[in-house]
Amino acid sequence: MSSTAGQVIRCKAAVAWEAGKPLVIEEVEVAPPQKMEVRLKILFTSLCHTDVYFWEAKGQNPVFPRILGHEAGGIVESIGEGVTDLQPGDHVLPVFTGECKECAHCKSEESNMCDLLRINTDRGVMIHDEKSRFSINGKPIYHFVGTSTFSEYTVTHVGCVAKINPLAPLDKVCILSCGISTGLGATLNVAKPKKGSSVAVFGLGAVGLAAAEGARIAGASRIIGVDVNSSRFEHAKKFGVTEFVNPKECKKPVQEVIAEMTDGGVDRSVECTGNIDAMISAFECVHDGWGVAVLVGVPHKDAVFKTHPVNLLNERTLKGTFFGNYKPRSDLPSVVEKYMNKELELEKFITHEVPFAEINKAFDYMLKGEGLRCIIRMD
Ligand code: NAD
Ligand code: ZN
């Protein structure tokens, strides 16, 4: 047992005190894990656009002060009462949506929407006692999606932690904890393109390029990348994207442009932008009769999806997914193995690296649309 088990740990965390203001590295107290909880030492974390939305709180409910972060890799420091399948020292990836293994969703082969632990962006406390495990001078600091990885130590529910191969390099596989698995799974598990088919990917950030990677692995013959930032296009070629469209440079709606390019529409599309207009275009650009569109981007809280019902009657399918339909505890270890046996390349998604003290730089890169994933080193 570690010497810190059962005790409060004082460590550094990046606290978001107010919407849109730079994070501040503070000394926080992290309480020991309670029933069915584990405390993790985070070694590497990275920034996903979802963190930025909740930090900006422009289109999301403000919950502050809060410790953000949900894409990370770490090691179990100690375990709470009732935890049997994790031990101190296990290498793990925390995940923003959990798997209790007991509810109807966890028992269904089709769903990863666990009743107990599915993503809840407004909750800032632990499920067990509705309290936070983080504090500064006795004042609670809220959690984020059950993970709060922008801290040297964090407490999560055991159901939100995937135990992985200890040989896997955490500075690489940490990006499988959200973005890359989400994009890859959205294509492979949900859109399911057939060999030789055409796939449009909206948004060429890390999630979208992981979706493109899924299309390449599935044997798609055309992968059309759509992004309003033209500087994304050059990099996207490394991910098998064969054609590009910038909606800002089109004279007509992008769905019409894609329909013309593909003789009536693409076979599959995957939306990874969070922009409602892109979601509607992603749906309307699939071929009638068989086309399937998958929404992945996190929308503004007041967004409304509007399309003519005939687009559905004409036998187009609209779907959506969290975490690419992977069940975090059951499925994520095998995605890590895809990296270990070189079926999946992660290095090309990692464009920046900063020490924890410079975490705000990662926000700047994402806001400027520069690069894909920025690894934040905790040591
Ligand atoms: P990112 O910022 O790196 O990439 C988003 C890309 O979309 C950018 O290149 C941007 O220029 C482009 N874009 C924005 N508006 C557009 C539009 N109208 N048309 C075309 N392109 C547009 O972000 P990311 O980290 O790759 O995340 C992508 C999205 O996926 C975000 O909305 C994020 O919140 C969401 N997400 C969802 C899940 C899930 O489980 N459903 C998990 C992770 C991330
Ligand atoms: Zn994410």
Side-chain angles (χ1 to χ4, degrees):
M1 210 190 301
S2 73
S3 60
T4 43
Q7 298 183 21
V8 169
I9 291 180
R10 293 178 76 87
C11 69
K12 290 200 184 86
V15 178
W17 289 101
E18 273 180 76
K21 295 275 162 66
L23 306 188
V24 183
I25 305 279
E26 305 275 6
E27 188 161 271
V28 298
E29 299 194 328
V30 186
Q34 302 300 305
K35 194 170 175 187
M36 298 311 276
E37 294 172 0
V38 294
R39 190 162 54 187
L40 310 179
K41 180 174 170 56
I42 299 295
L43 297 181
F44 301 95
T45 184
S46 48
L47 185 66
C48 166
H49 212 127
T50 311
D51 298 303
V52 177
Y53 295 141
F54 286 86
W55 166 75
E56 289 178 323
K58 286 182 188 156
Q60 309 297 342
N61 291 327
V63 179
F64 296 98
R66 197 172 211 187
I67 296 173
L68 296 161
H70 63 281
E71 203 172 271
I75 293 178
V76 176
E77 174 268 339
S78 63
I79 59 174
E81 186 193 327
V83 174
T84 52
D85 52 0
L86 285 176
Q87 292 294 325
D90 283 345
H91 286 217
V92 294
L93 303 182
V95 182
F96 66 84
T97 192
E99 180 184 358
C100 75
K101 295 199 175 178
E102 279 161 26
C103 72
H105 289 272
C106 287
K107 286 185 176 151
S108 158
E109 274 182 23
E110 292 174 312
S111 173
N112 68 346
M113 296 297 294
C114 173
D115 268 334
L116 182 69
L117 301 169
R118 70 171 62 174
I119 182 170
N120 180 336
T121 54
D122 291 333
R123 184 168 54 221
V125 293
M126 299 306 288
I127 291 173
H128 171 60
D129 56 5
E130 308 217 318
K131 287 189 180 137
S132 172
R133 302 283 172 264
F134 297 110
S135 59
I136 297 180
N137 299 325
K139 185 182 180 327
I141 309 292
Y142 292 115
H143 293 249
F144 176 62
V145 294
T147 52
S148 292
T149 59
F150 296 163
S151 176
E152 291 174 320
Y153 287 86
T154 189
V155 176
T156 67
H157 191 284
V158 66
C160 297
V161 176
K163 179 176 164 175
I164 61 157
N165 183 344
L167 298 176
L170 288 170
D171 61 337
K172 305 289 185 304
V173 298
C174 63
I175 60 171
L176 289 173
S177 139
C178 174
I180 309 311
S181 301
T182 294
L184 190 72
T187 303
L188 293 178
N189 302 335
V190 190
K192 298 183 183 164
K194 295 197 175 87
K195 206 169 180 323
S197 61
S198 57
V199 178
V201 176
F202 284 69
L204 302 177
V207 177
L209 291 176
E213 193 76 349
R216 188 186 58 76
I217 291 170
S221 60
R222 291 179 75 182
I223 306 176
I224 302 172
V226 183
D227 202 301
V228 288
N229 174 357
S230 293
S231 75
R232 291 288 195 208
F233 294 167
E234 198 47 46
H235 200 69
K237 288 181 192 161
K238 286 189 204 153
F239 296 80
V241 174
T242 53
E243 293 152 83
F244 306 109
V245 182
N246 183 338
K248 282 191 181 162
E249 290 167 7
C250 295
K251 296 213 170 60
K252 26 179 142 166
V254 64
Q255 50 271 52
E256 287 177 28
V257 173
I258 293 174
E260 280 173 16
M261 288 165 71
T262 54
D263 201 13
V266 281
D267 300 312
R268 299 290 186 266
S269 76
V270 186
E271 175 281 326
C272 307
T273 70
N275 177 282
I276 187 65
D277 296 325
M279 293 182 189
I280 294 166
S281 303
F283 171 60
E284 294 182 353
C285 80
V286 299
H287 207 288
D288 56 3
W290 61 77
V292 179
V294 178
L295 306 187
V296 174
V298 172
H300 188 289
K301 65 178 169 40
D302 303 322
V304 177
F305 188 97
K306 225 173 135 205
T307 192
H308 197 285
V310 159
N311 292 325
L312 286 146
L313 299 184
N314 286 348
E315 302 177 4
R316 292 183 182 86
T317 303
L318 178 61
K319 294 183 169 194
T321 177
F322 276 115
F323 201 51
N325 267 41
Y326 287 117
K327 290 183 193 285
R329 293 161 92 184
S330 304
D331 299 335
L332 196 45
S334 65
V335 184
V336 169
E337 290 315 306
K338 274 193 205 292
Y339 168 73
M340 296 301 279
N341 63 32
K342 300 192 163 52
E343 266 176 77
L344 179 64
E345 210 187 296
L346 295 179
E347 287 77 3
K348 63 187 177 187
F349 289 96
I350 299 171
T351 51
H352 296 84
E353 193 182 304
V354 293
F356 191 32
E358 294 172 23
I359 187 169
N360 288 303
K361 279 194 184 164
F363 282 72
D364 292 341
Y365 296 138
M366 183 154 277
L367 290 169
K368 287 189 195 143
E370 272 176 31
L372 299 172
R373 279 301 190 253
C374 177
I375 304 291
I376 298 153
R377 266 181 288 114
M378 303 306 284
D379 57 0

